Amino acid sequence: MEELQKAARVAFASEYSFLLKSQNFHWNVEGPDFLQYHDLFGKIYEEVQDSIDDFAENIRKLGAYTPASFQKFSMLAVVDDENNILDKTAMVAELLEDSLKMVKVLKLTFQRSDEFQEYGFSDFIAGRMDAHRKHQWMLRSSLKNG
Ligand SMILES: [Fe+2]
């Protein structure tokens, strides 16, 4: 169970970092097609934000404490902060890379969850994987001919 709790905490910290990164890009993107990218990043962060409370509570349901500080997030997350202001294409490419990292960490968490027969949690994690696949589709499509 400890391996599952650890994987879940890493996945949650990564998801929170992914949320912050999408907000960072939503707030700071610039260019003549500002609104298009502002909305793309906005759509992504809103989807993640809607899931974050359930994610945190699911970790409590597994009997673990939910990481809930910037220090813990940076210790655990596989998604790194972006401290520079990037151009819009670099933002899209970076968020796509981060989303691929998310699917990797979610997949590992799903496997652990199934090992411990925590099927309710597996179901939640499968939903997060699917949501990231959708983000990837939108990000990848925005990069085409860009
Ligand atoms: Fe906004």
Side-chain angles (χ1 to χ4, degrees):
M1 194 61 166
E2 220 166 275
E3 298 99 312
L4 169 58
Q5 290 172 341
K6 185 164 185 241
R9 284 161 55 83
V10 168
F12 176 76
S14 303
E15 190 77 302
Y16 210 103
S17 301
F18 184 89
L19 169 63
L20 182 59
K21 178 88 63 87
S22 350
Q23 286 179 316
N24 175 346
F25 293 169
H26 171 72
W27 294 325
N28 291 312
V29 71
E30 290 176 314
D33 37 14
F34 161 80
L35 203 55
Q36 185 191 326
Y37 287 86
H38 176 71
D39 286 351
L40 169 68
F41 296 130
K43 225 177 162 61
I44 292 173
Y45 99 69
E46 280 171 10
E47 187 285 320
V48 178
Q49 194 168 51
D50 285 349
S51 76
I52 212 83
D53 187 58
D54 274 350
F55 206 151
E57 292 179 3
N58 270 315
I59 292 175
R60 297 294 294 131
K61 279 151 67 182
L62 294 176
Y65 288 109
T66 301
S69 70
F70 290 121
Q71 202 178 354
K72 282 267 165 66
F73 291 150
S74 71
M75 279 163 56
L76 294 169
V78 299
V79 171
D80 296 324
D81 284 345
E82 181 51 74
N83 295 308
N84 299 309
I85 301 295
L86 307 179
D87 72 55
K88 64 191 180 199
T89 309
M91 285 179 176
V92 173
E94 184 171 316
L95 204 60
L96 176 58
E97 277 304 307
D98 289 338
S99 182
L100 293 166
K101 285 184 194 168
M102 280 309 307
V103 166
K104 260 189 200 166
V105 87
L106 288 164
K107 206 175 268 186
L108 184 78
T109 309
F110 182 92
Q111 285 163 354
R112 292 270 179 275
S113 186
D114 262 15
E115 276 165 34
F116 289 95
Q117 298 175 310
E118 291 288 346
Y119 299 124
F121 188 61
S122 300
D123 186 51
F124 176 80
I125 294 296
R128 295 312 306 144
M129 284 177 62
D130 195 50
H132 276 283
R133 288 286 186 223
K134 188 168 179 181
H135 302 157
Q136 288 165 20
W137 159 53
M138 293 192 293
L139 292 162
R140 204 176 280 119
S141 300
S142 305
L143 281 179
K144 202 159 186 187
N145 300 323

